[in-house]
Amino acid sequence: MPDGAVLFVCLGNICRSPMAEGALRAEAARAGLALRVDSAGTADYHVGEAPDARAVRTAQRHGVDISGLRGRQARAQDFDDFTHIFALDHNNLKGLQRIAPAGHGAHLGLLLDLVPGREGQAVADPWYGEEAGFEQTWAEVTAAARALVERLRR
């Protein structure tokens, strides 16, 4: 039985949210925590596509393989299927709030709210930048993954 089910959501589900998924899978495995982890996008731009090659390379440099992940769009059913849903930025949080069914039981919030001193901030979107931006994003999602694992272990 999993200790929880966590969904990460960004816009297209090919950069930030699959990196967050990979980071949490790795941190949970290290901690011996059984979690169901997935990622999705609020838009349908990249449904069925693999993560951006820069995201795959960045995760691989940190010993995490996200190459087998495929993009999907967030849906109202996710609010029943997951205990925690984390948006990677404010616009995606608003998008999730629009599709959230009344009375859902999932915790919904910004991912960096988990990291002391980063509350209310968005995870950096590396899409339009260079490879270094993906390293910054990896550092942010990893910090949040570690904080989430600690919170769930309590």
Side-chain angles (χ1 to χ4, degrees):
M1 178 99 180
D3 296 312
V6 181
L7 179 67
F8 298 107
V9 182
C10 67
L11 182 62
N13 191 214
I14 60 167
C15 291
R16 294 176 291 172
S17 57
M19 291 173 77
E21 178 181 349
L24 182 58
R25 286 180 188 273
E27 293 299 325
R30 279 192 268 284
L33 190 63
L35 292 177
R36 180 172 163 236
V37 185
D38 198 2
S39 59
T42 53
D44 64 356
Y45 306 142
H46 301 288
V47 170
E49 293 181 20
D52 184 283
R54 297 167 295 176
V56 171
R57 286 191 300 269
T58 300
Q60 191 66 50
R61 280 193 295 274
H62 295 277
V64 178
D65 183 7
I66 63 170
S67 64
L69 301 180
R70 294 295 176 264
R72 75 170 183 85
Q73 190 171 16
R75 57 190 184 268
Q77 181 63 41
D78 290 329
F79 290 86
D80 291 325
D81 294 344
F82 293 91
T83 56
H84 298 79
I85 300 175
F86 292 104
L88 283 283
D89 64 37
H90 300 88
N91 286 334
N92 289 299
L93 180 60
K94 288 176 188 167
L96 288 167
Q97 290 166 336
R98 281 193 293 275
I99 67 165
H104 71 83
H107 165 82
L108 176 60
L110 284 172
L111 181 58
L112 288 182
D113 283 351
L114 296 168
V115 180
R118 299 295 308 271
E119 298 90 344
Q121 295 180 22
V123 171
D125 187 352
W127 174 255
Y128 294 104
E130 301 298 322
E131 201 96 11
F134 284 80
E135 285 293 336
Q136 177 186 348
T137 298
W138 181 261
E140 291 175 352
V141 298
T142 298
R146 289 180 180 146
L148 182 57
V149 164
E150 287 306 310
R151 180 178 289 186
L152 293 174
R153 289 178 71 179
R154 289 187 218 147

